[in-house]
Amino acid sequence: MLGIPLPKKTTTLVKAIKEVEYTNGDLLISEAKKLQEQTDSLSKHLSDYYMAKGEFLKYYTYEKMEAFESFYKTLEAMECYSLMAEIDLLTTYFHYTYNAFDKAAKKVKRSEEYCFKPSLELEREALIYGISPTVLVNTPQEKKEEITYTLERITRKYPWSIYHSRIASSLAITYYYSGEYETAKTILLETIEKNKALSFNLELSRNYTLLSVVESQLSGDFEKYIAYELLSADYKKEYGNQYLSINYRTIGHRYFNKELYEDAFKYYQLAVESEGSDIASKSVDYAYLGWAYFHIDKKKNAPKAMEYYNKGLTYNNENHIGYKLILERKMWTLDAIGEKEKAAAMKVKVLEARANVENKSSKKRFEDFKINYLLSLKSKNNRLEKLQQKSELNAVQIERQRFAIIALVVFTLLMLVILMLSYKNAKNYKTIKKLNVKLKESITTIETRNEELTQKNEENLKLLEINQRSLFTKTFKVSTYKDAIDNVVKEISNALEEDTSMSAKQLRGVKTQLKTILNEDEIWQDFKLQFERTRPSFFKKLLDISPNLSVNDLKHCAYISLNLKTKEVATLINISPRSVETARYRLKRKLNLGTEDNLSEFLNKL
């Protein structure tokens, strides 16, 4: 169940925990406490782990998350990799929720050390496809097909679980950001039905939040949007999760945008009163609460609105976005009631607060993503599956060969016994002795062959492990690069909203940020490393022939040796097919080849 041997009674108790862990946090904690009654240390460790998990999923705060994650080293010592994957998946999703991308990246990178074990296929797929919806935004059709295939495959192979739910949600979001709202809705409704069957209340809360957004784009039905968001809050309550402020705040925004200020005030107040609202969130909610109250009656409600703003300021510091939101609304309120001088004085603080928040946000985003870069837009997960199938096939073939060898040895020994019984007299003793020598030689040959096969199998397994690690690293780089580019685009959009003309200094700043992300030398070194695994001396031989070959020349030679067509090479390096032909002509000259020599044949002989 957990990938480690458990006592019989502990197995029964863990099974009971598994049935309720995503249904109700209080039930999870209650079942986990029963493990404390067992005398062995393993049961006590598991009890503490599941109680911490229940507390984390109920309250969803940094303090509870850190307590939950503190069991990681203990689980690692126990070699309980499935629960380690649980920690990485749940805490990484938590960090993405709070935009702490640097911490999320470390968790994903950490999981690379263990998640390629054969028994962790389901967890690995969830770590690749089910962590961050933002990874999948605006992806090509190939990515949607890849995730769909993965979801269908694991659904056939494993019973429905939280891992399936997370991957399905990511797939729905992919379709949502591609504008295919009907498909996104269909996926979410199917996911909801499956989660309802297992009473996955916490997952149902996430599903209905996503469904409210999809329905809003699909039909624009305001009542449905509110109903789905309230269902999300209800399922959180059913689980025992206290973090309801985000649901109520979202509903408040919708009512405010429709100028239904009293309804907006009602839900902003619920957000403030929510037990699970952390200190930083309360400051944001008080900003919206005061602003909604002011709009109910601008002539009478300004003093009370100011009280709400001042209350919110007690919950945060100057670097938090809540501080900026409150100062902005104080300034707008003062200006609306005719307090122009106070509004002007407040504007200075607002500009300082905006600068603090925006500078911190910009710096943080690029620190989060500067070590990651997109290496490929093509799917790599199918390659992993093929390598696994190939490894399994090799293992079957080796097993068959070993069986044949054993059969041959048995047959040879049997023949030897028959010969020894048939030729007992002294005349045939020498013959029998010779046969015995041949038999020993055959056995030696068989043992040598067996060692060779074993060595070959080990090499295949090492190659598989290298490719698996490379795949996971590249998949993660794919996921983080898209966020980095989106953030640059968002910065440009924000700048344009504030001022439609961008200065040369701003453009140079954007250029510098993009160059930080787009490191051509890193791309070339990674490509060279991967290529030389199959052609170790290819580039060295080329440079021995013509030391003046440029990096672009070496790339072009590699593409030709891979038998890529002219149009394919043109697409890869973003030039015209005619320019590709010209480049090949210049290559032949640099390599001292005649017009009648075939460049492709020459390169393939190196």
Side-chain angles (χ1 to χ4, degrees):
M1 186 181 300
L2 300 180
I4 56 175
L6 299 173
K8 186 176 180 180
K9 180 62 176 177
T10 301
T11 301
T12 302
L13 292 172
V14 170
K15 185 177 180 180
I17 289 172
K18 289 292 182 183
E19 290 176 355
V20 300
E21 61 181 335
Y22 296 109
T23 299
N24 184 279
D26 291 326
L27 282 177
L28 169 57
I29 294 170
S30 175
E31 292 294 331
K33 286 180 179 178
K34 294 178 182 178
L35 282 168
Q36 292 284 355
E37 299 171 6
Q38 304 304 302
T39 56
D40 61 292
S41 60
L42 174 59
S43 296
K44 294 187 183 301
H45 285 315
L46 292 175
S47 175
D48 293 339
Y49 167 81
Y50 281 115
M51 284 195 288
K53 180 180 179 179
E55 291 286 327
F56 168 56
L57 294 179
K58 278 187 62 177
Y59 297 103
Y60 220 58
T61 63
Y62 269 100
E63 180 184 3
K64 300 297 183 183
M65 184 274 294
E66 288 173 353
F68 175 50
E69 192 177 21
S70 67
F71 290 92
Y72 195 88
K73 292 294 184 184
T74 301
L75 295 172
E76 189 174 26
M78 294 161 55
E79 297 184 352
C80 192
Y81 301 113
S82 63
L83 296 187
M84 290 165 61
E86 233 179 38
I87 290 178
D88 280 329
L89 183 67
L90 295 174
T91 58
T92 301
Y93 200 94
F94 174 85
H95 287 309
Y96 269 114
T97 302
Y98 286 96
N99 296 325
F101 300 113
D102 56 338
K103 295 179 181 178
K106 289 177 182 177
K107 300 293 176 61
V108 176
K109 185 66 177 175
R110 178 175 70 178
S111 66
E112 179 185 350
E113 298 298 323
Y114 64 83
C115 75
F116 283 99
K117 296 184 179 298
S119 61
L120 296 177
E121 180 185 16
L122 187 56
E123 289 85 348
R124 179 173 65 250
E125 299 293 7
L127 285 163
I128 293 174
Y129 296 115
I131 291 177
S132 170
T134 59
V135 172
L136 308 172
V137 175
N138 298 325
T139 50
Q141 183 65 27
E142 179 184 348
K143 176 62 74 175
K144 288 182 281 191
E145 292 173 356
E146 177 187 343
I147 303 170
T148 301
Y149 166 76
T150 299
L151 183 59
E152 289 175 349
R153 181 172 56 80
I154 65 172
T155 301
R156 288 194 303 269
K157 196 170 181 180
Y158 303 99
W160 186 265
S161 67
I162 184 178
Y163 303 121
H164 295 76
S165 178
R166 293 294 169 92
I167 296 172
S169 297
S170 293
L171 181 59
I173 291 173
T174 306
Y175 278 101
Y176 170 81
Y177 280 101
S178 299
E180 299 173 70
Y181 304 125
E182 282 286 2
T183 306
K185 181 178 179 180
T186 300
I187 294 168
L188 284 171
L189 289 175
E190 291 174 354
T191 304
I192 285 170
E193 287 305 310
K194 290 176 180 177
N195 284 336
K196 279 184 177 179
L198 294 170
S199 298
F200 283 174
N201 292 325
L202 207 54
E203 287 302 297
L204 286 166
S205 172
R206 300 180 194 279
N207 298 153
Y208 275 110
T209 293
L210 289 175
L211 186 59
S212 68
V213 177
V214 172
E215 187 64 50
S216 177
Q217 291 293 331
L218 188 61
S219 65
D221 190 322
F222 179 76
E223 296 300 329
K224 275 190 177 180
Y225 177 91
I226 298 300
Y228 286 145
E229 198 64 53
L230 287 173
L231 273 172
S232 173
D234 288 342
Y235 277 110
K236 275 188 181 178
K237 292 177 186 176
E238 186 73 21
Y239 185 81
N241 184 281
Q242 303 297 316
Y243 193 64
L244 300 169
S245 60
I246 191 168
N247 297 90
Y248 295 138
R249 186 190 311 143
T250 302
I251 296 173
H253 290 341
R254 286 285 174 163
Y255 278 116
F256 190 93
N257 291 338
K258 282 191 166 289
E259 299 183 2
L260 300 172
Y261 301 123
E262 291 185 357
D263 290 317
F265 176 78
K266 169 187 171 183
Y267 282 100
Y268 288 141
Q269 197 164 35
L270 286 172
V272 167
E273 294 170 356
S274 172
E275 292 182 24
S277 178
D278 56 21
I279 290 177
S281 295
K282 281 191 183 295
S283 65
V284 172
D285 291 327
Y286 270 111
Y288 292 126
L289 182 67
W291 190 231
Y293 188 76
F294 174 66
H295 277 76
I296 293 173
D297 189 338
K298 292 184 178 180
K299 292 181 180 180
K300 298 180 180 179
N301 290 354
K304 185 65 176 178
M306 287 295 181
E307 290 182 19
Y308 287 132
Y309 299 148
N310 292 332
K311 180 70 173 178
L313 289 175
T314 64
Y315 284 104
N316 65 44
N317 57 57
E318 296 182 1
N319 291 323
H320 191 270
I321 190 172
Y323 182 77
K324 177 182 79 74
L325 291 174
I326 291 173
L327 292 186
E328 285 176 339
R329 280 150 184 78
K330 287 186 76 171
M331 177 185 70
W332 296 336
T333 302
L334 289 169
D335 187 68
I337 62 176
E339 299 282 353
K340 302 296 182 182
E341 291 185 4
K342 291 183 179 180
M346 184 63 64
K347 186 174 183 179
V348 175
K349 294 183 178 181
V350 169
L351 292 175
E352 290 176 353
R354 286 175 179 172
N356 286 340
V357 172
E358 289 171 3
N359 289 339
K360 179 184 177 184
S361 176
S362 175
K363 180 180 179 182
K364 181 178 181 298
R365 283 197 296 267
F366 284 98
E367 285 179 348
D368 289 339
F369 295 106
K370 65 185 179 182
I371 61 171
N372 299 300
Y373 189 73
L374 179 65
L375 297 178
S376 171
L377 285 176
K378 292 187 176 181
S379 165
K380 301 298 180 186
N381 204 43
N382 289 342
R383 179 184 294 180
L384 170 61
E385 184 183 356
K386 290 177 181 177
L387 286 170
Q388 288 175 327
Q389 291 173 350
K390 184 177 179 181
S391 176
E392 290 171 0
L393 181 61
N394 287 340
V396 171
Q397 290 175 341
I398 291 170
E399 192 63 30
R400 287 176 178 173
Q401 290 173 348
R402 285 178 175 172
F403 179 78
I405 291 169
I406 292 170
L408 179 60
V409 170
V410 171
F411 176 77
T412 305
L413 290 172
L414 182 60
M415 290 299 297
L416 178 61
V417 171
I418 293 172
L419 287 171
M420 290 178 69
L421 291 173
S422 301
Y423 298 94
K424 293 182 179 180
N425 57 52
K427 284 185 177 181
N428 294 322
Y429 177 75
K430 291 182 179 180
T431 304
I432 294 172
K433 189 174 182 180
K434 289 180 181 179
L435 287 172
N436 193 35
V437 171
K438 288 182 179 181
L439 175 60
K440 289 181 179 179
E441 290 174 352
S442 297
I443 292 173
T444 301
T445 302
I446 290 168
E447 289 176 345
T448 302
R449 177 59 178 162
N450 190 37
E451 290 176 359
E452 291 173 355
L453 289 171
T454 301
Q455 184 178 359
K456 184 177 179 181
N457 186 43
E458 290 175 353
E459 290 173 354
N460 284 337
L461 290 173
K462 288 180 181 178
L463 179 61
L464 173 61
E465 183 180 356
I466 291 170
N467 278 282
Q468 288 172 332
R469 291 185 180 278
S470 175
L471 163 63
F472 192 88
T473 302
K474 291 178 180 179
T475 303
F476 175 63
K477 288 183 179 180
V478 169
S479 72
T480 53
Y481 174 77
K482 181 62 184 65
D483 287 332
I485 295 300
D486 282 348
N487 287 328
V488 174
V489 172
K490 189 183 291 182
E491 286 191 8
I492 296 172
S493 299
N494 291 339
L496 290 174
E497 287 177 3
E498 295 178 2
D499 185 359
T500 56
S501 60
M502 294 181 70
S503 66
K505 182 178 180 181
Q506 288 174 311
L507 290 172
R508 282 194 297 272
V510 173
K511 179 181 178 182
T512 301
Q513 292 172 353
L514 288 172
K515 280 189 175 181
T516 302
I517 299 170
L518 303 172
N519 189 329
E520 185 65 22
D521 184 64
E522 184 182 353
I523 297 173
W524 162 243
Q525 292 300 327
D526 190 81
F527 174 83
K528 185 178 177 184
L529 177 64
Q530 299 296 328
F531 186 88
E532 287 183 336
R533 285 182 177 176
T534 55
R535 302 283 294 277
S537 304
F538 181 81
F539 295 117
K540 182 179 182 303
K541 290 178 180 178
L542 279 174
L543 292 172
D544 288 342
I545 296 170
S546 179
N548 295 325
L549 290 175
S550 67
V551 171
N552 284 335
D553 291 335
L554 294 174
K555 287 182 184 177
H556 208 115
C557 289
Y559 294 148
I560 294 170
S561 71
L562 292 172
N563 296 321
L564 294 182
K565 297 179 181 178
T566 300
K567 288 184 178 180
E568 292 174 331
V569 175
T571 302
L572 274 173
I573 58 179
N574 199 25
I575 61 175
S576 67
R578 179 66 180 170
S579 298
V580 175
E581 295 294 342
T582 303
R584 291 188 178 187
Y585 173 76
R586 290 174 180 165
L587 269 175
K588 290 178 71 172
R589 291 183 59 186
K590 288 184 179 182
L591 294 170
N592 298 320
L593 298 177
T595 55
E596 69 282 2
D597 294 325
N598 187 297
L599 180 58
S600 178
E601 290 179 0
F602 171 80
L603 293 174
N604 285 327
K605 289 178 181 177
L606 291 179

